[in-house]
């Protein structure tokens, strides 16, 4: 049986500024680098056969920091990308809280959960009976857990 660990990328400059990143690349700030280094230390004695990241830079950078002590290369997949926030991308998050209904160009929860299911299938097929660390994003990680544990949200 494949064992999967989920982690979120470190803090980015846009996280710090409360800007909706969605599927933009993002760049870790100093705190985000420290967070990735702390995760690396925390997981230094864990065994991983593979480390996979979203194909967005903020996750790749975090995964590479964590992978270094393990001597592993980081694989990437767009299945692990953050939710596509459409026209909300690049906007100040507090300004978005009262907008109802949301624009149609935001990835639906149904589509997000479908993608999460495809990610789980990808991991099971690509890494059978292995231990994998996946470095993604907050919302896709929650969707993966919801699909795995058969939860509605």
């Amino acid at each position: 049986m494949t064992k999967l660990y989920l982690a979120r990328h470190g803090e980015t400059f846009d996280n710090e500024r409360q800007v909706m990143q969605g599927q933009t690349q993002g760049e870790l700030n100093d705190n985000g680098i420290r967070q990735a280094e702390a995760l690396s230390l925390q997981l230094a004695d864990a065994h991983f056969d593979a480390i996979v990241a979203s194909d967005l830079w903020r996750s790749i950078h975090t995964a590479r920091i964590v992978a270094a002590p393990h001597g592993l290369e980081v694989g990437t997949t767009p299945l692990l990308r953050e939710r596509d926030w459409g026209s909300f991308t690049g906007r100040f998050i507090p300004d978005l809280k009262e907008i109802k209904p949301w624009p149609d160009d935001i990835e639906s929860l149904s589509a997000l959960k479908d993608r999460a299911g495809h990610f789980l299938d990808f991991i099971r097929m690509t890494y059978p009976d292995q231990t994998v660390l996946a470095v993604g994003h907050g919302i896709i990680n929650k969707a993966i857990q919801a699909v795995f544990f058969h939860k509605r949200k």
Side-chain angles (χ1 to χ4, degrees):
M1 175 171 33
T2 301
K3 185 185 256 186
L4 177 65
Y5 289 81
L6 294 174
R8 179 186 178 270
H9 63 80
E11 184 181 72
T12 67
F13 289 103
D14 281 343
N15 291 142
E16 184 178 16
R17 292 188 298 255
Q18 297 185 63
V19 171
M20 185 67 77
Q21 293 175 96
Q23 295 190 358
T24 61
Q25 292 297 326
E27 183 178 342
L28 299 182
N29 62 17
D30 290 341
N31 187 50
I33 292 169
R34 284 191 299 274
Q35 290 171 336
E37 290 168 344
L39 180 61
S40 179
L41 287 173
Q42 185 179 5
L43 297 176
D45 293 332
H47 168 78
F48 296 109
D49 297 298
I51 297 180
V52 177
S54 154
D55 63 347
L56 300 176
W57 174 241
R58 58 194 190 261
S59 291
I60 295 169
H61 190 182
T62 301
R64 285 181 178 165
I65 291 170
V66 175
H70 299 277
L72 294 172
E73 294 292 320
V74 174
T76 63
T77 177
L79 294 171
L80 202 48
R81 282 184 172 198
E82 183 56 288
R83 186 177 190 178
D84 184 349
W85 285 103
S87 57
F88 278 5
T89 302
R91 295 187 54 195
F92 187 57
I93 293 169
D95 291 346
L96 305 174
K97 294 188 188 290
E98 302 302 320
I99 297 176
K100 300 277 192 259
W102 282 0
D104 291 338
D105 63 350
I106 294 174
E107 184 176 18
S108 69
L109 288 177
S110 174
L112 182 69
K113 287 178 77 173
D114 284 347
R115 185 159 52 89
H118 291 307
F119 172 75
L120 287 168
D121 292 341
F122 164 77
I123 291 296
R124 288 182 189 112
M125 290 175 33
T126 308
Y127 305 101
D129 299 317
Q130 295 182 44
T131 301
V132 179
L133 172 65
V135 180
H137 308 268
I139 296 172
I140 187 64
N141 286 357
K142 288 177 186 175
I144 291 165
Q145 292 174 68
V147 170
F148 183 82
F149 291 110
H150 307 288
K151 297 190 177 214
R152 292 184 59 197
K153 291 186 177 186

